[in-house]
Amino acid sequence: MDQGFRLFPKEASTIAPQVDLLYFFLVAVTAFFTLLIFVAIVYLALRYRRKSEAMPPETKTDLRLELSWTIIPFLITLVMFGWSTRLFLKMSTPPKNAMEIHVIGKQWMWKIEHPNGAREINELHIPVGRPVRLIMSSQDVIHSFFIPAFRVKQDVLPGRFSSLWFEATTPGEYHLFCAEYCGTDHSRMTGRIVVMEPAKFEAWLAGVAPDETPAKQGEKLFTTYGCMACHGERGPTMAGLYGSTVSLADGSKVVADEQYLRESIVNPAAKVVAGFEPIMPAFQGQLSEEQIVRLIAYIKSLRTAAGGEANP
């Protein structure tokens, strides 16, 4: 943060050097062909200008030349495609041991909740050297979670979850921006990422007065809205649901991830589980984004453990 705004912020995540390397490669290729075309234009313009005695030679087909300017750019674009695809897949696949943190964007702030219930607004404290996965949603319009020093950015959309992960490599404070115009005070939707040594992070986390964990709050909502009446007897069980493959009434199958769970809460008729009637009421407009996040956190906490028991 003390370095101000720089054209190339300090690389502070494991993915940042790889993003920069690809970026510089693309810039180098672009600059080379731009210069090549510019030189060719200037040369031909001067050599074959109107008053020049030199005349362009008769046009002849050269198969080797045509193959060269077709195959070489094609191979370069294949390198770009393969390189960028590999990097995209790496950035889209968080490690299994990543710490999950919930983020809700709203005009004009970032609301953040840690696994133990600790909350922050426009700040995110994380440990260095540990993968962090952000599960994000928007309460109103499209936002975009952007950390320049980490070289990561992800749109945050209303009505669905989006995910972003990173692993910080250098302790310090870094800028956080909303990179999608979201209304009058969009420019004020900023914050900071505070990267700390693991011991200092644990001390900070212990010093914050946490609320109940999201899973515990979700359990209360599960009871308040009478979900147990069906999902304990007449409906699909929640134990071990998250991450499993669900067979649907139309014969298709779907993985029960955060997005599936969210859709099943707000619009249960969209994907009906095989063997069950579509009797669950829709909770669209009845639950806030925070409540949906907490319900899903509770369902995720019911994953089947190694011994076959559900973790409440």
Side-chain angles (χ1 to χ4, degrees):
M1 294 281 283
D2 57 347
Q3 297 178 355
F5 297 96
R6 303 169 57 186
L7 181 60
F8 292 103
K10 180 180 180 180
E11 297 174 344
S13 73
T14 53
I15 204 71
Q18 301 174 54
V19 173
D20 283 352
L21 188 60
L22 175 59
Y23 172 77
F24 289 131
F25 172 75
L26 296 176
V27 170
V29 171
T30 302
F32 171 78
F33 282 102
T34 300
L35 182 61
L36 179 64
I37 293 171
F38 176 77
V39 170
I41 290 174
V42 172
Y43 170 76
L44 294 174
L46 293 176
R47 180 172 176 79
Y48 301 115
R49 63 190 183 277
R50 180 178 297 179
K51 294 183 178 181
S52 173
E53 295 181 359
M55 295 296 293
E58 182 181 351
T59 303
K60 295 182 180 180
T61 301
D62 189 330
L63 182 59
R64 293 171 299 178
L65 182 60
E66 292 184 359
L67 288 175
S68 297
W69 68 43
T70 300
I71 294 175
I72 293 176
F74 176 70
L75 293 177
I76 293 175
T77 56
L78 280 183
V79 171
M80 293 178 179
F81 176 80
W83 190 349
S84 59
T85 300
R86 181 180 178 184
L87 184 57
F88 173 79
L89 292 176
K90 183 174 182 179
M91 296 175 70
S92 302
T93 310
K96 293 183 178 180
N97 65 335
M99 177 174 64
E100 294 186 350
I101 297 176
H102 294 284
V103 178
I104 295 178
K106 60 173 295 186
Q107 295 171 315
W108 289 273
M109 68 176 67
W110 297 105
K111 300 171 68 176
I112 296 167
E113 188 168 19
H114 291 262
N116 73 333
R119 300 181 185 180
E120 303 184 76
I121 293 180
N122 293 337
E123 287 190 351
L124 173 59
H125 289 71
I126 57 173
V128 68
R130 181 176 179 183
V132 175
R133 179 183 179 229
L134 304 182
I135 303 172
M136 305 182 292
S137 61
S138 171
Q139 185 172 310
D140 35 51
V141 298
I142 299 177
H143 301 284
S144 187
F145 199 90
F146 179 36
I147 311 173
F150 292 179
R151 307 300 194 269
V152 293
K153 180 168 72 72
Q154 178 62 53
D155 285 352
V156 183
L157 309 175
R160 61 170 299 167
F161 287 120
S162 54
S163 178
L164 174 69
W165 83 273
F166 48 80
E167 181 180 337
T169 57
T170 308
E173 296 184 6
Y174 304 97
H175 292 289
L176 165 64
F177 297 104
C178 175
E180 184 74 32
Y181 180 72
C182 55
T184 306
D185 288 332
H186 162 70
S187 61
R188 296 175 56 190
M189 195 169 174
T190 60
R192 64 174 185 156
I193 308 296
V194 182
V195 181
M196 313 171 75
E197 295 291 347
K200 292 184 178 180
F201 172 75
E202 294 299 332
W204 171 85
L205 200 60
V208 177
D211 201 340
E212 290 182 311
T213 65
K216 192 66 177 178
Q217 295 177 67
E219 183 179 10
K220 291 182 177 180
L221 289 169
F222 200 79
T223 302
T224 300
Y225 283 91
C227 304
M228 187 59 71
C230 288
H231 290 289
E233 300 175 3
R234 294 180 293 165
T237 178
M238 298 290 101
L241 173 61
Y242 177 73
S244 66
T245 300
V246 179
S247 298
L248 303 180
D250 62 3
S252 62
K253 295 184 178 182
V254 63
V255 176
D257 55 10
E258 288 95 352
Q259 187 58 37
Y260 168 79
L261 295 178
R262 188 188 196 286
E263 185 179 37
S264 296
I265 292 171
V266 299
N267 184 22
K271 293 183 175 68
V272 179
V273 178
F276 295 93
E277 296 296 325
I279 60 174
M280 177 176 168
F283 286 90
Q284 180 74 48
Q286 300 185 48
L287 298 172
S288 67
E289 283 298 324
E290 288 94 337
Q291 289 175 316
I292 293 173
V293 165
R294 290 161 189 166
L295 277 171
I296 292 175
Y298 171 62
I299 295 171
K300 291 171 66 175
S301 73
L302 299 176
R303 278 178 283 190
T304 303
E309 304 252 340
N311 294 325

